Amino acid sequence: MGEIRLEIPARPEYLSLARQVVATAAAIEPSMRDERIDDLRVAVSEATTNAIEAHAVLDGADRIVIRCNLGDDRIEVEVVDRGGGFDPDALAGPPDAGAPDRLEWERGLGIPLMRELTDETEIHTSEGGTAVRLVVYASSGRAAGDAPDDPTI
Amino acid sequence: MWTKLWTTAGDNRARERAKLGVAGVRGRSPRVEEPVVEVHLNRREGCTVVGIVGELDLAGVPVVRPALLDALREDGGDVVIDLTGLDLIDSAGLGVVLGAVRRAREAGRPAKVVVRAPQVVRMFQVTGLDRVLDLRGDVEEAVGG
């Protein structure tokens, strides 16, 4: 399958479209389970949100490019922005769940979530922009029977 | 019972789209630049119940955050944030929910969060927020105690 390329204005209203296009592309692969597509939708949402926020300091004319490539048993998504870049290793993660200040941590979950939800997350960033590469394999991740626990417990 | 509704769409498209999910995108063109989230406020059995329907991401923050803050200003006892109508939540959405729970607790009002869709439950689990929030699986149970 060839590459699917989506170019969107750097505005939050387009997040839903980005997720839907990527989910639709992923669903072409018959072995890609809905749970993995859900994971990918959120990972794409995180990468695109970061890109939109990186563009906020620009004049708004530049667009964000999202490329999808479906391979054997996997989908690869790249989100490319022209924002100012950042140092992903310098970002502090949220405190542990039991920490008293955990509830005050309303931001900073995006990159840890991307890493958790995908099989591969690579971030290439410079002053000229950032490219985030997300890969999800149909055959990995949560097992089919690995349903979330009852949240009431 | 009284109800308030926050949405800039003026119709039920957010709810319709929430039902579509992954399967829906295969057969329906997305409508760009429409809000994908709605907020409903109800008062039930001494609780303030805030229902969020659709997809909660950065685009929904300007709609949902003020609606939640409005709801917390109501004199409505315990707070129940009902996310059973959500099809998707990402970290921007989690941040809004977290902020609302924190403000409710600061005001001395216990806050419960109701989750059902597997993707939404998973986000709370992956981030460890299931261990710091009072998560429930059913609104009736949350309202009842």
Side-chain angles (χ1 to χ4, degrees):
Chain A
M1 183 180 124
E3 179 179 277
I4 295 170
R5 186 177 187 278
L6 174 69
E7 199 174 299
I8 58 168
R11 300 213 308 267
E13 309 92 277
Y14 286 85
L15 279 169
S16 182
L17 175 65
R19 288 192 298 265
Q20 291 189 52
V21 169
V22 171
T24 304
I28 293 171
E29 166 59 48
S31 60
M32 192 72 72
R33 296 190 312 276
D34 284 351
E35 292 86 356
R36 294 302 283 155
I37 295 174
D38 275 346
D39 287 348
L40 182 64
R41 287 169 73 208
V42 175
V44 167
S45 203
E46 302 299 342
T48 309
T49 295
N50 287 347
I52 290 168
E53 292 184 332
H55 276 242
V57 297
L58 304 177
D59 61 9
D62 281 321
R63 290 174 167 238
I64 293 164
V65 175
I66 298 164
R67 288 193 285 262
C68 305
N69 279 287
L70 205 59
D72 292 336
D73 197 33
R74 76 190 178 105
I75 182 167
E76 181 178 321
V77 180
E78 195 172 29
V79 179
V80 181
D81 71 58
R82 297 176 62 81
F86 65 100
D87 180 2
D89 295 329
L91 299 176
D96 289 340
D101 58 346
R102 180 63 188 87
L103 280 178
E104 294 174 20
W105 198 275
E106 296 177 24
R107 296 178 58 84
L109 290 171
I111 290 175
L113 261 180
M114 278 191 274
R115 296 193 193 284
E116 183 70 29
L117 297 174
T118 63
D119 294 301
E120 296 174 29
T121 293
E122 287 177 19
I123 300 172
H124 301 282
T125 183
S126 71
E127 290 179 1
T130 300
V132 177
R133 180 174 162 271
L134 307 164
V135 183
V136 167
Y137 292 92
S139 57
S140 64
R142 288 178 290 164
D146 186 16
D149 295 333
D150 182 348
T152 60
I153 295 171
Chain B
M1 180 193 294
W2 44 269
T3 301
K4 284 185 183 177
L5 170 68
W6 282 262
T7 173
T8 52
D11 59 25
N12 285 323
R13 285 178 187 147
R15 186 183 292 275
E16 289 170 22
R17 292 174 60 167
K19 291 176 185 169
L20 290 174
V22 170
V25 303
R26 293 171 187 169
R28 177 171 167 154
S29 300
R31 295 165 190 257
V32 178
E33 301 199 46
E34 281 179 8
V36 292
V37 70
E38 288 178 1
V39 184
H40 304 260
L41 176 59
N42 289 285
R43 184 146 178 215
R44 291 176 50 183
E45 299 174 36
C47 293
T48 298
V49 182
V50 188
I52 305 173
V53 176
E55 298 180 339
L56 184 48
D57 60 12
L58 186 65
V61 170
V63 175
V64 173
R65 178 174 282 145
L68 277 167
L69 294 179
D70 273 0
L72 295 179
R73 278 193 280 269
E74 304 279 351
D75 182 20
D78 291 6
V79 176
V80 174
I81 301 175
D82 175 10
L83 304 183
T84 57
L86 273 191
D87 171 58
L88 177 138
I89 190 168
D90 67 7
S91 68
L94 288 172
V96 171
V97 173
L98 204 54
V101 170
R102 181 165 57 83
R103 286 173 183 84
R105 287 185 183 175
E106 286 169 357
R109 298 171 68 177
K112 298 163 191 161
V113 180
V114 187
V115 290
R116 185 175 298 153
Q119 188 278 328
V120 176
V121 174
R122 177 158 160 77
M123 286 307 106
F124 283 91
Q125 292 173 331
V126 166
T127 55
L129 292 174
D130 58 335
R131 285 175 279 161
V132 289
L133 300 178
D134 186 356
L135 290 189
R136 306 298 176 102
D138 183 81
V139 177
E140 300 306 320
E141 174 207 336
V143 169

